Amino acid sequence: MEPAGLTVGVLTVAGLFNNAVDCFEYVQIGRSFGQRYQNGLLKLDGARLRLSRWGQSVGLSGELEDTQSLPQVLGSAQSVTKAEEILGQILELFADAEGISTKFKTRAGRSKQESLVHDNQTDLEPTALSLHNRMRDLSIKRQNQTGLRQKAKWALYEEKHFKRLIEDITSLVNDLIELFPAAQESQKKLCNAEVAQVADMNGIEALSMLEGAAKSQDKLLEEAVVKAMGQKAPTPNIVFSGSHNSGLQLGHNAGTISNLRWGGSA
């Protein structure tokens, strides 16, 4: 592929990336999920955040003013073509899931109750809502300025289809990350920045929810969260005094223990 053709290919990838990140915006979750709704939504947010992080790490976010430098970041024509293929597959996943949603709603015998969906602004716990909004904002800011078509919202009502969608997206984003190994160091830095923003927002509670969202689908983010939680864990100050102390002290520590003294006076 000639340089001009490669640039066109990169711009095609940029457009596909933009649309893939945008697809998450229109997914709703049916009320049939019950108590699993909140964790499911944060998992979906986490998948979107990871895709957006990849896009920023390879230079696909922002205004794309310097299109001549993008081929250098993305590498060979073969890599660009493969990225285009993978992003296209992500878009197909959303199209297939939307088709499942339509079939569910139009299937004979469905009650109105079965088609109800959760309202994220009212149904999430306060910390979960703040985390959802933060991850959403981070992902949207990483989109570029290529055109987007307004779409209608749709919902998944069966958990098996929802889980499959997230698993398949995770697998395809794995492929994107492996395709451009030089960008992985940048992704680590972006993870640390994401975690810092969440920690400043709601501290340990939000970090714990973020860790759950990252588990089994975003190793880099999970590692960054665990590290941050260790740094924010309170330092215990325990004193055992007197000459007849006995028994068993149980607990869990995520960081370094200091100010711990055995015997003597306080």
Side-chain angles (χ1 to χ4, degrees):
M1 188 183 293
E2 297 297 323
L6 181 57
T7 299
V8 171
V10 169
L11 290 177
T12 300
V13 170
L16 289 170
F17 161 73
N18 212 34
N19 277 280
V21 174
D22 192 55
C23 280
F24 289 84
E25 188 73 11
Y26 303 100
V27 182
Q28 295 177 302
I29 298 178
R31 286 196 171 274
S32 58
F33 278 52
Q35 294 180 349
R36 298 179 297 278
Y37 147 70
Q38 180 168 284
N39 289 337
L41 179 63
L42 294 179
K43 282 280 188 184
L44 187 68
D45 291 334
R48 184 187 198 182
L49 184 66
R50 187 174 184 233
L51 175 60
S52 74
R53 185 192 311 134
W54 169 81
Q56 182 171 354
S57 73
V58 296
L60 294 176
S61 62
E63 297 183 5
L64 299 181
E65 292 178 345
D66 189 7
T67 56
Q68 298 299 319
S69 69
L70 281 174
Q72 300 173 19
V73 177
L74 289 173
S76 67
Q78 290 81 5
S79 296
V80 171
T81 300
K82 184 62 177 177
E84 183 177 337
E85 176 186 325
I86 295 170
L87 288 166
Q89 290 175 335
I90 293 176
L91 292 175
E92 288 175 7
L93 289 177
F94 281 104
D96 291 345
E98 186 175 0
I100 290 172
S101 172
T102 301
K103 288 179 181 179
F104 182 93
K105 290 181 68 176
T106 57
R107 196 177 303 164
R110 292 291 181 196
S111 67
K112 184 177 180 181
Q113 184 71 22
E114 289 179 293
S115 298
L116 294 177
V117 298
H118 278 284
D119 183 337
N120 298 336
Q121 298 304 310
T122 59
D123 294 345
L124 288 172
E125 297 173 5
T127 299
L129 177 59
S130 296
L131 179 58
H132 163 72
N133 288 335
R134 180 57 57 92
M135 287 196 284
R136 176 179 178 271
D137 290 345
L138 283 168
S139 298
I140 289 174
K141 287 177 181 178
R142 288 170 176 166
Q143 290 179 265
N144 54 62
Q145 302 304 309
T146 56
L148 288 171
R149 181 173 59 86
Q150 187 70 23
K151 308 179 187 72
K153 289 185 179 291
W154 52 274
L156 282 173
Y157 302 94
E158 296 179 284
E159 194 170 2
K160 63 181 180 180
H161 297 306
F162 184 81
K163 286 183 174 180
R164 183 61 183 271
L165 175 63
I166 293 179
E167 288 171 359
D168 288 346
I169 291 172
T170 298
S171 178
L172 290 172
V173 176
N174 285 345
D175 294 342
L176 288 171
I177 291 172
E178 292 171 4
L179 192 60
F180 305 101
Q184 292 181 22
E185 189 60 36
S186 174
Q187 290 161 27
K188 290 181 181 179
K189 294 178 181 178
L190 291 171
C191 274
N192 290 332
E194 291 163 9
V195 170
Q197 288 195 40
V198 171
D200 290 342
M201 178 185 66
N202 284 89
I204 289 293
E205 184 181 4
L207 287 175
S208 180
M209 287 184 177
L210 184 60
E211 182 185 14
K215 193 172 183 62
S216 301
Q217 72 180 48
D218 193 343
K219 184 179 179 181
L220 287 180
L221 183 60
E222 186 177 4
E223 290 174 349
V225 171
V226 170
K227 181 179 178 181
M229 290 179 70
Q231 293 172 344
K232 289 185 73 67
T235 301
N237 188 358
I238 306 172
V239 177
F240 292 90
S241 59
S243 57
H244 299 288
N245 293 301
S246 64
L248 181 63
Q249 177 74 20
L250 295 176
H252 170 74
N253 176 61
T256 302
I257 295 179
S258 60
N259 299 324
L260 179 62
R261 301 191 294 278
W262 299 87
S265 58

